[in-house]
Amino acid sequence: MNTFQKIAAAVNKIVLASTHIPVLGKYASKSMVVLTYTGRKSGKTFTLPVSFTQSGNELTIRVALPDKKNWWRNFRNEGAPVTATLNGCGRTGHAVSHRDARGRVTVTVTLDPENRPTH
């Protein structure tokens, strides 16, 4: 793990903790989703806060500095299952990452329409 990844991991822990504080969590939930997924190589479960936009059952996550981050690589090619926690409620879905010709990375999460949010 490089220095950038260590700093990002520390910041993510703080942000995740803040989502459990009523006032901060309510504010953060408007632009932040917490993703939980299984690492493609390690098989470990990871939880990560990311900013997003939403249109219906689709979340779009634009990955800043993608070459310094690894998490989005778990969703390359056919993608992988993910749980997205929005407003304190978990929803299952499927995430797929895409890198465009300019090197920008977007992860698209399609939430399962048949599942109900879990609290």
Side-chain angles (χ1 to χ4, degrees):
M1 187 180 300
N2 65 39
T3 302
F4 177 84
Q5 290 171 327
K6 288 177 184 175
I7 293 168
V11 170
N12 287 343
K13 285 182 183 179
I14 293 167
V15 172
L16 280 172
S18 73
T19 63
H20 299 290
I21 299 170
V23 174
L24 292 176
K26 203 173 218 183
Y27 175 74
S29 68
K30 294 178 182 182
S31 63
M32 188 177 308
V33 63
V34 177
L35 297 181
T36 303
Y37 62 94
T38 302
R40 70 188 187 288
K41 291 182 181 179
S42 68
K44 293 180 182 177
T45 300
F46 295 94
T47 301
L48 175 72
V50 293
S51 61
F52 75 103
T53 57
Q54 183 173 7
S55 179
N57 277 342
E58 190 171 280
L59 309 179
T60 301
I61 302 158
R62 288 174 175 68
V63 182
L65 306 169
D67 292 327
K68 293 186 178 270
K69 299 174 182 173
N70 293 318
W71 70 268
W72 62 269
R73 291 173 171 84
N74 288 285
F75 307 111
R76 287 193 282 194
N77 302 318
E78 67 277 349
V82 65
T83 298
T85 303
L86 293 156
N87 301 316
C89 299
R91 299 249 337 248
T92 58
H94 190 81
V96 178
S97 63
H98 172 74
R99 184 187 286 266
D100 69 16
R102 297 173 78 184
R104 296 175 294 200
V105 174
T106 302
V107 177
T108 303
V109 177
T110 304
L111 299 172
D112 295 333
E114 67 274 356
N115 73 22
R116 300 191 193 290
T118 58
H119 296 278

